[in-house]
Each structure stands twice: as structure tokens, then as C-alpha cells.
Amino acid sequence: MKEPIRVAITGGAGQIGYSLLFRLANGETFGVDQPVILQILEIPQAVEALRGVVMELRDCAYPLLQDIIASDDEKVVFNDANWAILVGGKPRGPGMERADVIRDNAPIFVAQGKAINDYAADDIRVLVVANPCNTNALIAMNSAPDVPADRWMAMTRLDQNRAVAQLADKAGVQPAAVSHMAIWGNHSPTMLPDFEHAQIGGQPVTSVIDDRAWLEGDFVEKVQQRGKEVIDARGKSSAASAANAVVDHIRSMVQPTEGTWFSAAIYADGNPYGLPGGLFSSFPLRMMGSGYEVVSGLELSDYARRKIGTSIEELQEEREAVADLLK
């Protein structure tokens, strides 16, 4: 049997954490022959709830789950971690602006970045899920100077999945028929779901769905606003679909990408599209052996560049809001 990998998860008693932990433990995410050790962080007020989650994990008797470590101590949770999934964060409250959320979350990600830097394994990979995830990733990475920039990502796979579902529904096909969907920019209502390079059944989306007005209008807006739509309907933010996107992201990272690509926000320095560096922006990516690469050679239309530019401007504004925390 393989050596177990240590997976650190923050916010383990929250909605996303609860939906995610069991799928990390059952072999679905890292592989049916890969043992895991779950190292779960919660704030002190939620430790008792986390204790109940740990009970349930143990009661599942997963053969691949070698151990569970639950704590409110970042040093304990990130110790020797090979993967860190940063789910826990402070949610947006009534009357709060996006800049307020960024400032409220900043101390959390400074502390977690430092703990990852000091205690995680040399091969650590980090996925930031807690919003605003692009800038939270930037804060955490800047607090971990010894961890290479290419180990950090922020999650836009949920946006990709939402876009795939909308296109499939419009075209009357199964989601598996939709490929080459990329998300560009920020995980926010400014993101661009790139229908111009996506395919349905191997054909360009724009030839299968011959309705440019719908693609630029209802489709893009639906993907951008889907999180709010879920909150309005459910009274709570997306949880199971977010956990599912984490699983999809990790699967794409642990096995070579064949014939298509996936989306994630990465540190944008040196990207092949000339987009500004010094921030985390979403790109189409391919996994190549042990590392990923940005899909290059895509021709971006004036429409796409305009939309991506708006999202980049927002990311630059977010970076300015936390400039004092970035070294």
C-alpha cells in the first residue's frame, strides 16, 4: 500500500467542509489505492461540532482513512501536510462591502500562510476556497516565502462546472459533452466564462448554440450570479457543489489532463497572455506529469479581452486593499 498523504482542511465543521471530508476519505478524490490522513482545523467555538464530524468519519470505517487529527491549532493541522484546502473564512455580513470582507479575512490567511510555510511538507500544494479566494490566496502566499508560487491556487472549478451545466442545458446534451470551458479572472461577478473556446460534442459552442446574445447575456450573467441565486433560493451559500468542485480540482491536479483543460486561479506572473502579474487570476490549465501549465495559443477576442480586463482591474483593487500585508 502507498504511503498516506496528509490533507489539511480548514473550516472542517462548516457546510463545505462537512460535504467534502467524506469524499476525501473514501478514495474518490486521490485514488482508490491512496491512503489519507485528514488534519482538520476549526475555530475554538466550533471544536465541539468538529468532534461530531470526526465521530461520523470514524463510523464510516473507510479503509483508506489512516488517521484523523482535529484541532484549533494551525501548527498541528498543517504539520507535514502534503495538501492544504483552505475552506474556512469569515463570511460577508449585512452591509459589508467586498473590501470589508477582504480586510476581515486577511488576518486568517496571514496566519495560515505562515503556518504552512513553517510546518507543511516540502511538497505542499494549497487550494484556497474561502472567498474572496483569489486575494486570500495572494495574502497567504505572501506570508509563506519558502513555498513556491506555483504551489498555490484559488478555486474557480465551481464556476467552470456551473458554466458547463448551463451550456449543456441550453444545448440539450449531457454535461460530459461540454469540454474546453475556461474561467478567466476573478472568482466574482466579473469573471469571464469563456464560451468562445468551449466545445459541445467536439464542435465550437458558438456553432452549436447559434445565439450570441444569449451567450454574452443570460449565459455569462447566470454563471457570474449563480452563487447569489443559490443563496436566494436556499438561504445558504453553495456547499455540496463547492465541495464537489474541490474534488474535481484535485482530480485534475493528480492525473495528467487528456484532451481538455480545467480552470484555476494561479499567480499570474509570466502568463502567456500578457495579463498583469502580482495577483491571482484564473486561466485554462493542463496538468502535465507532475506540474501544470497555462494553455497557450488561444486567440482572445476584443470582447474577451475587455471582459478579462474588467476582472483584472477588480483584482488589482483588491490587492490595493491589502497592500500593507504583502511583502
Side-chain angles (χ1 to χ4, degrees):
M1 182 176 284
K2 295 180 178 179
E3 287 293 312
I5 58 173
R6 293 178 178 268
V7 185
I9 309 98
T10 70
Q15 288 194 91
I16 296 174
Y18 186 75
S19 296
L20 174 63
L21 286 165
F22 301 87
R23 299 181 69 180
L24 298 175
N26 68 3
E28 179 182 359
T29 305
F30 292 98
V32 295
D33 60 346
Q34 179 60 67
V36 297
I37 297 171
L38 296 181
Q39 304 182 173
I40 314 170
L41 182 71
E42 259 301 353
I43 58 176
Q45 303 93 305
V47 165
E48 184 63 15
L50 179 58
R51 190 169 73 90
V53 176
V54 171
M55 290 180 195
E56 288 200 75
L57 281 164
R58 295 198 185 280
D59 290 347
C60 289
Y62 291 124
L64 293 171
L65 183 55
Q66 299 275 297
D67 196 8
I68 306 169
I69 298 166
S71 177
D72 60 1
D73 187 337
E74 290 158 343
K75 298 189 297 292
V76 172
V77 168
F78 292 117
N79 187 53
D80 289 334
N82 309 107
W83 272 86
I85 307 169
L86 309 186
V87 177
K90 190 171 181 180
R92 185 171 182 168
M96 292 180 69
E97 299 295 333
R98 190 173 177 89
D100 299 325
V101 182
I102 294 169
R103 291 300 307 188
D104 279 359
N105 274 281
I108 297 172
F109 290 91
V110 167
Q112 291 180 3
K114 289 179 177 177
I116 289 169
N117 186 80
D118 294 344
Y119 300 104
D122 290 342
D123 64 350
I124 182 68
R125 287 193 175 276
V126 186
L127 175 63
V128 181
V129 178
N131 288 318
C133 61
N134 296 53
T135 299
N136 286 342
L138 182 65
I139 293 167
M141 187 194 76
N142 274 272
S143 301
D146 298 330
V147 180
D150 65 359
R151 304 290 184 81
W152 300 83
M153 291 182 163
M155 190 173 81
T156 57
R157 185 58 177 263
L158 177 55
D159 308 308
Q160 175 184 329
N161 288 350
R162 287 167 168 167
V164 166
Q166 294 299 320
L167 291 176
D169 185 61
K170 180 71 170 179
V173 300
Q174 293 300 309
V178 182
S179 64
H180 299 82
M181 169 51 65
I183 302 296
W184 298 83
N186 199 4
H187 171 65
S188 81
T190 68
M191 77 181 83
L192 174 66
D194 185 2
F195 59 83
E196 292 182 317
H197 293 100
Q199 298 179 10
I200 297 176
Q203 300 299 313
V205 162
T206 50
S207 65
V208 177
I209 301 174
D210 186 18
D211 188 345
R212 183 82 188 193
W214 180 85
L215 290 166
E216 290 189 12
D218 289 352
F219 166 68
V220 169
E221 291 168 12
K222 175 76 77 172
V223 178
Q224 292 173 335
Q225 299 293 336
R226 188 63 162 185
K228 180 181 183 299
E229 188 177 6
V230 170
I231 292 172
D232 290 345
R234 186 172 174 262
K236 298 177 181 179
S237 59
S238 303
S241 58
N244 181 72
V246 173
V247 173
D248 286 344
H249 174 96
I250 294 174
R251 282 174 173 167
S252 293
M253 288 292 294
V254 299
Q255 57 190 5
T257 307
E258 296 182 1
T260 186
W261 53 63
F262 67 101
S263 300
I266 61 170
Y267 195 57
D269 281 12
N271 70 83
Y273 295 96
L275 300 181
L279 44 77
F280 275 77
S281 178
S282 186
F283 291 90
L285 306 175
R286 287 194 188 97
M287 194 63 189
M288 308 292 291
S290 60
Y292 68 83
E293 66 177 20
V294 177
V295 176
S296 61
L298 300 179
E299 184 176 344
L300 297 178
S301 67
D302 290 343
Y303 163 82
R305 286 203 173 270
R306 185 172 66 253
K307 290 288 188 179
I308 294 168
T310 298
S311 202
I312 293 295
E313 288 175 4
E314 181 183 54
L315 285 167
Q316 291 170 325
E317 291 170 1
E318 292 184 8
R319 182 179 58 193
E320 283 301 308
V322 295
D324 57 309
L325 302 174
L326 306 178
K327 299 175 183 179

